[in-house]
Amino acid sequence: MAPSTKTVLIPIAHGTEPLEAVAMITTLRRGGADVTVASVEAQVGVDACHGIKMVADTLLSDITDSIFDLIVLPGGLPGGETLKNCKPLENMVKKQDTDGRLNAAICCAPALALGTWGLLQGKKATGYPVFMEKLAATCATAVESRVQIDGRIVTSRGPGTTIEFSITLVEQLFGKEKADEVSSILLVRPNPGEEFTFTELNKTEWLFEDTPQILVPIAEDSEETEAIALVDILRRAKANVVIAAIGNSLEVVGSCKAKLVADVLLDEVAEKSFDLIVLPGGNGAQRFASSEKLVNMLKKQAEANKPYGGICKSPVYVFEPNGLLKEIDT
């Protein structure tokens, strides 16, 4: 490890908010941080929110004597409660504060963990809206900032502010130039709090009589934040989302080395019909393009006039070479 490398600890638990955890992991790693994902459970595999499974790098119990430049807590329930009740983690975070190193938390974690542990006294902090009253009882001022910095503590609101939060942490560790570089790579909106618009071409009706059945394939080197954001948001909307792995293993290591677990192998659902197939990007798009079964599923989707979508590299590597963008403006 280079002497200038910054080290980061991200603890996770059953019920951790996966979009927050994965976005923090990938953004900080893009910034150059050496990120350790540690499970506070008895095993490295955790069942995060919305039926999403994650695999940590290690158990927290194995690294309690380690020193980190930053410890950052994701939210989610009951994960936030579990982090709060983890005494070894509490001790690490308190020592972090005493030694003048960075702590950060998002969503429910500022109120449940940092606040309960007494680390927000005299501080301004923010958190998930329903936890603001609890937060106000543990800090000097509860504010509605999307990201709040007060001394060596950084807090943020929830899944929709996670990228801004993570970019702020990159800036705290590496400076503004590196933060701007990562923002550019991620195509972060310059004014994330503002309303946004989109253009819909070749307008079609999206009508489903029953619960929409949606397929999200993942592969080695898929862009983890894109994959998890798709699944997280669509499942919040009550769609039935199936995560299917290309290859022979349910466990997939993404482009920034976050470890995800699919629901099924693609082979198991290749003959099924879906209302929507949507592909994340990353270098995993090239693996999608090499999957004859996935390409055939997409072609059948197009023939049935059913929607399909892709982000990042997937339209270029999968859709265009297979004629799936004909007469479509992109």
Side-chain angles (χ1 to χ4, degrees), residues 206-208 211-217 235 239-244 263-278 293-294 297-298 300-302 304-308:
W206 291 56
L207 298 175
F208 306 100
T211 301
Q213 306 297 307
I214 300 175
L215 175 69
V216 177
R235 283 182 175 167
N240 180 29
V241 181
V242 176
I243 309 171
D263 302 317
V264 296
L265 298 178
L266 184 75
D267 289 354
E268 298 174 51
V269 295
E271 301 303 320
K272 292 188 176 181
S273 174
F274 292 91
D275 297 302
L276 170 66
I277 300 175
V278 57
K293 287 182 179 178
L294 178 59
M297 291 178 76
L298 287 164
K300 289 179 181 177
Q301 195 82 357
N305 200 31
K306 290 184 176 181
Y308 52 93

Side-chain angles (χ1 to χ4, degrees), residues 20 105-108 110 126-130 132 143-148 155-162 165:
E20 293 171 356
I106 191 170
C107 193
C108 63
T126 191
Y128 197 72
V130 298
M132 292 298 282
V143 296
E144 295 186 0
S145 308
R146 292 173 68 84
V147 179
Q148 181 66 42
T155 52
S156 189
R157 307 219 74 186
T161 65
T162 308
F165 175 59

